[in-house]
Amino acid sequence: MTLKHKLIPLVTATVLLTGCGGWTWLDGSRVDSRSLESALDQCQIEDKRDLLEQAEDELDRQLDLAETDLAKEEAKDAFARTERQINTEIRTCMRKRGLKPS
């Protein structure tokens, strides 16, 4: 896996998980840091970040063990599914708390 392919999911996940990309209220207004911290805590963002890191470690392991291009693609697909699931859980939870990515 090239550095570019490894960094893109990490950057995306970091933006979603930490709010670096920003979160706003559903009406588009700015969210205060206290409300954001509360929502991030309620949505267990740290736990989700850990899950994503574990999934990435597993991807690296599977890529190292893969003997065929097909096995590598299957590992990448499995990681992509896990990443989408985690990101969907984050967006859904944050939306329930009245927030959306800005």
Side-chain angles (χ1 to χ4, degrees):
M1 179 177 235
T2 67
L3 183 60
K4 176 184 172 188
H5 289 105
K6 195 170 187 174
L7 287 178
I8 291 172
L10 275 177
V11 170
T12 302
T14 300
V15 167
L16 287 172
L17 293 174
T18 63
C20 291
W23 293 91
T24 61
W25 293 113
L26 293 177
D27 67 4
S29 62
R30 187 169 178 250
V31 63
D32 60 282
S33 61
R34 189 174 182 172
S35 296
L36 179 58
E37 284 181 39
S38 177
L40 293 172
D41 184 52
Q42 291 173 353
C43 292
Q44 302 173 329
I45 300 303
E46 287 295 322
D47 293 340
K48 291 183 181 6
R49 179 185 298 155
D50 291 343
L51 288 174
L52 192 58
E53 287 178 14
Q54 290 171 12
E56 185 174 81
D57 290 343
E58 179 63 17
L59 171 63
D60 290 342
R61 188 184 71 73
Q62 288 181 1
L63 290 175
D64 287 342
L65 295 174
E67 295 182 5
T68 66
D69 288 341
L70 179 60
K72 289 179 183 181
E73 288 306 313
E74 288 173 351
K76 290 176 187 177
D77 289 344
F79 174 78
R81 283 190 302 274
T82 299
E83 182 182 34
R84 275 192 309 274
Q85 177 187 355
I86 291 169
N87 289 335
T88 298
E89 289 173 9
I90 290 167
R91 285 189 308 273
T92 300
C93 183
M94 294 295 275
R95 183 167 288 279
K96 287 180 181 177
R97 278 141 189 86
L99 299 169
K100 65 178 181 178
S102 59

